[in-house]
Amino acid sequence: MPRIITCFKWVVDQADIRVVPGTDELSLDRVGYRISEYDRNCLEEGARLKEQYGGEVVGLTVGIPGAKKSIKDALSRGPEKAYFVTDPSFSNLEPGQTAAIMAAAISSQIEYDLIICGEGSGDLYAQQVGPRLAEMLGIPCAVFVNKIEIKEKEAIVECKVEDGVEVLALPLPALITVLPDINTPRVPGLKDTLAAGKKPVEEITLQDLNKSFDPYLETLNVRATSMERTCEKMDAGSEGIAKMVAVLTKAGVIS
Amino acid sequence: MAGVWILADNHDQILELLAAGRSLADDIGMGLHLLLWDREEKSGEYFSYGADEIILLPALADGQPLSVYIPLIAEEAAREKPEVFLIGGSNRCKELAARIATRLETGLCSECTAFHFNQDLKRLEMERMIYGGVGVQTVASTSKPQMATIPPRTFSPGSPLEGREGKTREITGALETPVRVLEKKAKSKEQVNIREAKVVVCVGRGLENEEDLQLARELAEVLGGEVACTRPIAEELHWLPEETYIGLSGQVIKPHLYIGIGVSGQIQHTVGIRDAKTVIAINRDENAAIFEVADYGIIGDLYEVVPQLTRAIKEKVKS
Ligand SMILES: Cc1cc2nc3c(=O)[nH]c(=O)nc-3n(C[C@H](O)[C@H](O)[C@H](O)COP(=O)(O)OP(=O)(O)OC[C@H]3O[C@@H](n4cnc5c(N)ncnc54)[C@H](O)[C@@H]3O)c2cc1C
C-alpha cells in the first residue's frame, strides 16, 4: 500500500497583479494567494490513488510563514497530514532551491513510495521542481503524466509527449508530475473543511534542516507585458452584428 | 573546452537551436557543439547549419527512455565545462534539462523566449514569462553552464552553408535506468496548422457541447480560417487536438484576426494572441477579461451571436 507525498505551492493569484499606471512595473501590493491550480490535480490524484489502493497520503509545501494559510485548504482535499517547511527567507525561491529544501525535508523525516507534483506552478511555471527533486532523491521520475496505475512495486504511467503518449514503468519509490487533465479535483465540502482543521500539521524549520539553500539564478528585472487594444464593446443585436461585419471588412478578412 | 552546447529531440528544433546557438557562440567567441543520438540523421547537414562538433551519444537499447542519457550528459558536461547549454523545450527534454542542471548544480531558465549575451559582464541574460504571462522576468545564471530550455519555434532555423564542416566525437558509457518504456502510442497527425492561419476562430468552455463546434467551424469557413481552442477544450474535454490550443503552454499565434467565442480570456490563454493584429471577443459576461485584451467585443450569448454573425458575413460576401 503506497505511502504518497502530494506537493503543493501557495502562489499569488495572477488575476490580482496590477501594472503601475504609466510604467512597466508590476504591483503585487494587493494580491491574494491560493493553492497553485495544477497542484489541486496533484492533491486529487493522491486522494484518488489512496481510495483505489489504500495506503496513506500526506501533503508537503515549502513557503514563508504566511503560506500556512494554504494548509487547511490542502488538507480538505485529501492528505491526512501536512508537512510545512517554512522560513521567512523562503520567499521568491527559485525551483532549484525549492527542490533542494523539499529533498532535505523528505530525507530527514518523511517515508514514501510515491511523490506527486503538479506539472508546473501557477506563478513561475518553470516545471523544474518535480524532476529536480527526483534527481536529488535519486529516484526515477516521469513527467507530464495523465494516467497513473500502481501494480505491485511499480507505477505504470502515461506521459504526454509531442508525438503521442509514452507508457513507462517506474519502480517505486518514484516521482510523478501530473497534468491538469489527469482528474477533476473535487470541491471540498463543509465536512472536509471541518475534518481538515483537525488533521496534524508538522512544521519543519530551516534550523531543523541545518543547511543553506543558495540560488543559482539572479533576477535582473521583472517587467509588465502589455497589450494595447481598442477595447470597444458592443451589444448583441443587429446593430452590433452590422458593426462587427464592418470591422471584419476593414480588417480585410471579408471581401 | 567550454563552448555552447545544444540538445533537442527533434530535427526542427535542432535547426532552430543551431541558428540561435551559432550566433551566440560567435558572440562569445566559442565553438558550437550539438549532442545527438540519432544515427540516421545526416550529421553533415548539421555542420552546414552551424555545428562545429557533434557529440554522439550511444544508441538507446529497446525500451530505454531518453532520460537514461542524463548521467552521461552530466558527466560529459562536468568534464568539458560548456559555457552555455541550450535545450529544446519538448516534454522529454524539459525533464532532461532540469535533471542535468541538478546534477551540475546550476540554474536553469525554463521556457526562455529571448536571450542576449552581455559582453561587459560576460553573461547570458535570459527572458521568460512569469505569473501566467503578466510579467517578463530577466535572469542570469550565477553558475555554469548557463542553462535554458527554449520553446519550439522561438527561433527560426538558419540557412545551410555549403561546404561547412565539423567533427564528430563519440562518447561511450553504460546506459542504465530502472525505468522501462512499455509502449509508445503515436498520435494521428492532424493536418490543422493554426500557426499559419490568417484567421483563427477560438472556442472556449462557453461552448456547451462538442456538436456546437459546428458553429465555430461555420464561422471559420466563411472567413477562410481555422478553428482553435483554449487549453481545457483540448486537454480536459478532448474536443479538438492538442496542437490547436493557444496560450502559455500551447501555441503562440500571430494571425490577422482572432475571434474568441466563449473564451474567458485568462492571461495564460491571451499571451498566445498578443501579436494578433485584431482581436474580437464574443462573451455573455460583460466583465470577462477577454474584453480587456480585445479590440472589439460583442456582449451576448454565443448561441445567438455566432450564427447571426456567420449569416451576416455570408450576405456581405454575396453582395
Ligand atoms: C500554468 C498554467 C498554464 C496554462 N496554460 C494555458 C494555455 O496555454 N492556454 C489556455 O487556453 N489556458 C491555459 N491555462 C488555463 C487558463 O488559466 C484558463 O483556465 C483557460 O484558458 C480558460 O479556458 P476557457 O476560457 O475556455 O474557459 P472559462 O474560463 O471557463 O471561460 C468560459 C467563458 O465562456 C463564457 N460563456 C459561457 N457560456 C457562454 C455563452 N452561451 N455565450 C457566450 N459566452 C459564454 C463565460 O462567460 C466565460 O467567460 C493555464 C493555466 C495555468 C495555471
Side-chain angles (χ1 to χ4, degrees), chain A residues 38, chain B residues 204-205 230-231 246-249 262 264 268-269 283 301-302:
Chain A
Y38 296 160
Chain B
R205 256 195 315 223
T230 60
R231 184 169 183 171
I246 296 168
L248 184 66
S249 39
S264 61
Q268 292 93 347
H269 176 73
N283 196 306
D301 188 330
L302 72 90

Side-chain angles (χ1 to χ4, degrees), chain A residues 231-235 243, chain B residues 286-288 291 295-299:
Chain A
C231 299
E232 190 181 327
K233 288 190 224 176
M234 40 199 115
D235 285 323
K243 215 163 157 193
Chain B
E286 63 175 313
N287 297 316
F291 289 128
D295 294 299
Y296 306 97
I298 298 186
I299 304 162

Side-chain angles (χ1 to χ4, degrees), chain A residues 1 29 40 69 73 86 104 112 121 149 181 188-189 204 214 221:
Chain A
M1 291 200 290
D29 294 346
R40 292 189 201 147
K69 294 197 198 98
D73 183 358
T86 184
Y112 65 94
S121 64
E149 257 182 282
D181 63 331
I204 303 174
D214 301 322
N221 67 62

Side-chain angles (χ1 to χ4, degrees), chain B residues 283-315:
Chain B
N283 196 306
R284 68 176 172 198
D285 172 8
E286 63 175 313
N287 297 316
I290 189 84
F291 289 128
E292 284 164 41
V293 296
D295 294 299
Y296 306 97
I298 298 186
I299 304 162
D301 188 330
L302 72 90
Y303 289 93
E304 287 163 23
V305 176
V306 176
Q308 280 179 37
L309 185 59
T310 307
R311 215 176 309 126
I313 295 168
K314 269 190 195 152
E315 273 160 27

Side-chain angles (χ1 to χ4, degrees), chain B residues 56-319:
Chain B
L56 197 61
L57 295 158
L60 290 177
D62 249 4
Q64 282 186 329
L66 208 57
S67 56
V68 73
Y69 285 131
I70 291 165
L72 207 59
I73 295 173
E75 277 166 36
E76 190 63 16
R79 206 164 26 237
E80 298 289 333
K81 307 205 177 345
E83 188 67 21
V84 174
F85 193 173
L86 305 178
I87 297 181
S90 69
N91 283 359
R92 291 191 194 94
C93 283
K94 284 194 259 193
E95 175 194 357
L96 250 61
R99 294 175 59 189
I100 291 169
T102 306
R103 287 199 173 220
L104 296 174
E105 298 186 25
T106 191
L108 170 67
C109 172
S110 295
E111 305 282 285
C112 168
T113 50
F115 58 71
H116 146 87
F117 187 72
N118 182 324
Q119 291 288 0
D120 298 329
L121 299 169
K122 298 276 170 244
R123 70 179 182 197
L124 191 64
E125 299 181 350
M126 304 169 274
E127 290 186 6
R128 66 181 308 268
M129 275 192 258
I130 55 169
Y131 305 131
V134 177
V136 175
Q137 178 190 32
T138 308
V139 297
S141 187
T142 53
S143 51
K144 300 236 171 109
Q146 303 169 79
M147 290 183 69
T149 55
I150 313 284
R153 295 173 299 278
T154 302
F155 300 103
S156 321
S159 20
L161 207 67
E162 223 45 66
R164 202 182 173 286
E165 280 174 29
K167 55 182 196 314
T168 300
R169 177 166 62 96
E170 276 199 53
I171 57 174
T172 53
L175 297 182
E176 281 164 16
T177 173
V179 178
R180 299 184 331 272
V181 180
L182 301 179
E183 194 187 346
K184 288 185 184 184
K185 303 182 197 168
K187 77 177 158 210
S188 53
K189 287 231 160 62
E190 307 274 347
Q191 287 306 325
V192 275
N193 191 348
I194 61 156
R195 285 193 311 276
E196 308 296 329
K198 287 219 157 45
V199 176
V200 170
V201 174
C202 178
V203 296
R205 256 195 315 223
L207 223 58
E208 274 159 34
N209 303 296
E210 189 170 356
E211 299 83 73
D212 304 340
L213 280 171
Q214 197 50 33
L215 294 174
R217 293 215 168 94
E218 283 164 11
L219 178 58
E221 202 188 316
V222 294
L223 294 169
E226 296 284 353
V227 176
C229 63
T230 60
R231 184 169 183 171
I233 296 288
E235 295 234 305
E236 283 159 38
L237 299 167
H238 305 286
W239 290 352
L240 286 169
E242 272 151 14
E243 296 73 33
T244 63
Y245 85 80
I246 296 168
L248 184 66
S249 39
Q251 309 287 346
V252 173
I253 59 168
K254 303 173 180 176
H256 282 293
L257 174 70
Y258 163 101
I259 305 183
I261 59 184
V263 172
S264 61
Q266 297 295 305
I267 183 78
Q268 292 93 347
H269 176 73
T270 57
V271 291
I273 56 167
R274 209 161 254 163
D275 293 326
K277 228 186 228 146
T278 304
V279 172
I280 290 173
I282 299 165
N283 196 306
R284 68 176 172 198
D285 172 8
E286 63 175 313
N287 297 316
I290 189 84
F291 289 128
E292 284 164 41
V293 296
D295 294 299
Y296 306 97
I298 298 186
I299 304 162
D301 188 330
L302 72 90
Y303 289 93
E304 287 163 23
V305 176
V306 176
Q308 280 179 37
L309 185 59
T310 307
R311 215 176 309 126
I313 295 168
K314 269 190 195 152
E315 273 160 27
K316 170 82 188 174
V317 173
K318 256 192 274 164
S319 67

